[in-house]
């Protein structure tokens, strides 16, 4: 079943929200969760790791510290077992504002070329829109254009009911 919805846990939402208080450069990082039919449940989000400013390349906004991401993955799988079976990514723009689709499109294409989005993996673009956090979730299907998916923010109670 194709992905049509992304559900964010409270922890994932809090992490993404906190990253929007760090303007000046592209921010990105991994997402961790599980897939249930057409829904991706994002349990955790993390920053890109311990990248040094001297190593920052604005042309490569998806750069991650591989050891950091591997550590997150191992820790989450140790604690949560098979309930963490999916990894994706997120991105915020240097001004931390929500971008329109035309501005996001070149980065979505880059993410697709880099294998970061597909039919079972999404990229979340996050930013401020009038004092609220807005999230655009993109997936790519075969020869089709990238698709914008529905995003739901879950309360702690709603997340634990799943």
């Amino acid at each position: 079943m194709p992905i049509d919805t992304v559900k964010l846990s409270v922890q994932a939402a809090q992490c993404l929200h906190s990253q929007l208080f760090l303007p000046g450069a592209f921010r990105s990082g991994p997402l961790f969760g599980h897939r249930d039919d057409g829904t991706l449940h994002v349990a955790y989000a993390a920053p890109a790791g311990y990248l040094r400013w001297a190593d920052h390349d604005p042309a490569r906004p998806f750069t991650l510290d591989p050891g950091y991401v591997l550590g997150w993955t191992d820790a989450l799988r140790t604690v949560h077992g098979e309930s963490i079976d999916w990894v994706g990514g997120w991105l915020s723009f240097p001004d931390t504002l929500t971008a329109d689709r035309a501005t996001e499109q070149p980065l979505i294409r880059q993410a697709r070329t880099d294998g970061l989005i597909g039919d079972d993996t999404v990229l979340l673009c996050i930013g401020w829109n009038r004092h609220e956090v807005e999230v655009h979730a993109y997936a790519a299907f075969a020869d089709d254009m990238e698709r914008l998916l529905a995003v739901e923010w879950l309360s702690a109670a709603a997340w634990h009911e799943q």
Side-chain angles (χ1 to χ4, degrees), residues 15 28 43 84 107 118 123-124 127 132 142 160:
C15 176
S28 65
I84 301 292
L107 291 163
L123 177 70
L124 303 183
E132 292 188 18
H160 291 295

Side-chain angles (χ1 to χ4, degrees), residues 5 18 36 43-44 68 71 87 104 111 114 122:
T5 304
S18 71
D36 181 21
Y44 296 94
Y68 180 84
V87 178
E104 291 174 341
D114 291 349
V122 300

Side-chain angles (χ1 to χ4, degrees), residues 11-149:
Q11 188 285 337
Q14 287 173 337
C15 176
L16 296 174
H17 185 266
S18 71
Q19 293 300 303
L20 294 176
F21 290 100
L22 304 167
F26 280 106
R27 302 264 179 226
S28 65
L31 303 169
F32 305 92
H34 69 277
R35 182 175 173 172
D36 181 21
D37 293 325
T39 302
L40 288 175
H41 300 268
V42 179
Y44 296 94
Y50 300 109
L51 300 172
R52 299 176 312 152
W53 281 107
D55 297 333
H56 177 72
D57 180 358
R60 306 290 309 156
F62 302 110
T63 301
L64 300 172
D65 178 341
Y68 180 84
V69 175
L70 180 61
W72 258 96
T73 305
D74 287 346
L76 290 173
R77 285 193 173 145
T78 298
V79 173
H80 298 284
E82 293 183 19
S83 67
I84 301 292
D85 63 4
W86 173 86
V87 178
W90 64 269
L91 176 75
S92 71
F93 284 80
D95 63 6
T96 70
L97 300 176
T98 302
D100 61 25
R101 206 160 175 183
T103 303
E104 291 174 341
Q105 202 58 39
L107 291 163
I108 300 306
R109 282 193 207 105
Q110 181 180 347
R112 188 174 193 173
T113 300
D114 291 349
L116 300 175
I117 64 171
D119 61 356
D120 62 354
T121 306
V122 300
L123 177 70
L124 303 183
C125 293
I126 64 169
W128 290 110
N129 184 3
R130 298 184 184 180
H131 307 290
E132 292 188 18
V133 177
E134 187 171 312
V135 179
H136 299 159
Y138 292 95
F141 301 92
D143 296 330
D144 195 11
M145 292 294 293
E146 296 80 19
R147 291 189 202 164
L148 191 59
L149 309 175

Side-chain angles (χ1 to χ4, degrees), residues 147-160:
R147 291 189 202 164
L148 191 59
L149 309 175
V151 177
E152 296 179 22
W153 301 78
L154 298 178
S155 68
W159 182 261
H160 291 295

